[in-house]
Structures are given as structure tokens and as C-alpha cells.
Amino acid sequence: MFMLKSIGKKIHCEGVHMNAIKIVLSCNSPLFCEGMAALLQKEADMKIVGKVEDSSQVIKSLGLSPDVFILEPLLFAAEELLRVVRDLRIKSPQTKFLLLFLETEMSEESLMQCMTAGVDGYIRKTTKLEQLVEAIRSVHAGRVWAERTLLVKI
């Protein structure tokens, strides 16, 4: 076990692959965040390096040098989300950003704006764990993860 000084969360990291995908999770629900972290930590090639539960910590968490940042839009006011996405992309161009949301939280237009602003993919909270894992690996490898209907419009 070790302690992340900037976020103050204990994380178990036994059995993690040396070149594991370093992930920061941002969630508005601590229970959801803990559950997702516990599930992803079981993947040998993934390591949770931080968890963010309020918008003021998002930019600071880039100091953890994540490979993939899973971003929950509910942490931000609607008008703030695009600015945050652009700021994250500028401050950490090597990090891949994956939006995680419920269908009722974002319109297709908002998704398109986020994708053009620098998000590498998105996945709905109603998806299965296997798809989330595949999405993380995909954006980490430099591919876009989105539904075909949206990709055609971008």
C-alpha cells in the first residue's frame, strides 16, 4: 500500500504490470468511484493512481501523470466542461481523456463539442465492465472510442 500525497487515497497495487496504464478517475459519487477503482485494479495492465471527487482537484491531479483520465461531466457546470476539457488537453497533451456519463447527462451535441475539444472517447455508465476496460485500452493505444453514429458526424 502507498499513499498519494496530492489526493490522500490508499491504493493497493500488488500484481500490477510494470507498464500498467496509469488511470485517474473523477467521479461525483465516492461509492461509484471506489467500486470502479476496485474493479479496474483487478486488471493486470491497469493501475489507479488517483481519484478525484470534486472539480477543484481535476487539474491538480494531472501531476500524477496519468495515461488515461476518466472524466465524469457531472463534476462541472455545463458551460464549464468544455473549458476544462480544453485546459486538460493543453496541460497534458499526452494524457488520453475518456468521458463517463449517463444518457441523461449529456446531449449528442455536447458530446460532439467535447470530442472536438480534445476528449479521446466516451462511454456510458450503463455499459459493462468489459467494454469500459476495452475503451481504456483503446484510447490508451491512441484510438478514438465513440459510437459510430457520433463518429460519422464529427
Side-chain angles (χ1 to χ4, degrees), residues 8-151:
K9 300 286 182 183
K10 290 182 180 178
I11 297 172
H12 188 69
C13 64
E14 286 180 11
V16 174
H17 189 272
M18 288 301 289
N19 294 321
I21 301 168
K22 296 181 292 181
I23 302 168
V24 168
L25 303 174
S26 72
C27 310
N28 72 334
S29 164
L31 180 61
F32 181 80
C33 204
E34 291 294 326
M36 186 167 46
L39 291 170
L40 291 175
Q41 292 262 116
K42 291 179 180 180
E43 298 295 320
D45 63 339
M46 295 185 187
K47 177 180 176 185
I48 306 302
V49 295
K51 292 175 240 159
V52 178
E53 295 170 359
D54 77 59
S55 62
S56 67
Q57 295 295 310
V58 170
I59 299 293
K60 292 176 188 174
S61 67
L62 290 175
L64 298 169
S65 303
D67 298 312
V68 176
F69 197 116
I70 299 177
L71 190 61
E72 185 173 21
L74 280 181
L75 288 178
F76 310 98
E79 64 279 353
E80 186 183 23
L81 180 59
L82 282 177
R83 181 189 55 76
V84 169
V85 167
R86 288 183 189 111
D87 286 351
L88 289 170
R89 177 55 60 214
I90 290 167
K91 290 179 183 346
S92 188
Q94 74 283 0
T95 301
K96 305 300 181 189
F97 297 96
L98 185 64
L99 287 180
L100 180 69
F101 67 97
L102 286 171
E103 285 80 0
T104 57
E105 295 171 354
M106 291 190 76
S107 68
E108 192 174 272
E109 180 182 342
S110 294
L111 278 174
M112 286 175 46
Q113 290 173 341
C114 286
M115 295 292 287
T116 55
V119 168
D120 299 288
Y122 71 89
I123 194 155
R124 300 174 195 277
K125 287 182 184 176
T126 55
T127 193
K128 295 184 181 205
L129 176 63
E130 295 81 21
Q131 287 179 307
L132 174 60
V133 168
E134 187 179 347
I136 292 168
R137 289 178 179 139
S138 184
V139 297
H140 179 255
R143 295 184 296 271
V144 173
W145 186 271
E147 295 173 355
R148 286 186 191 271
T149 55
L150 186 67
L151 287 174

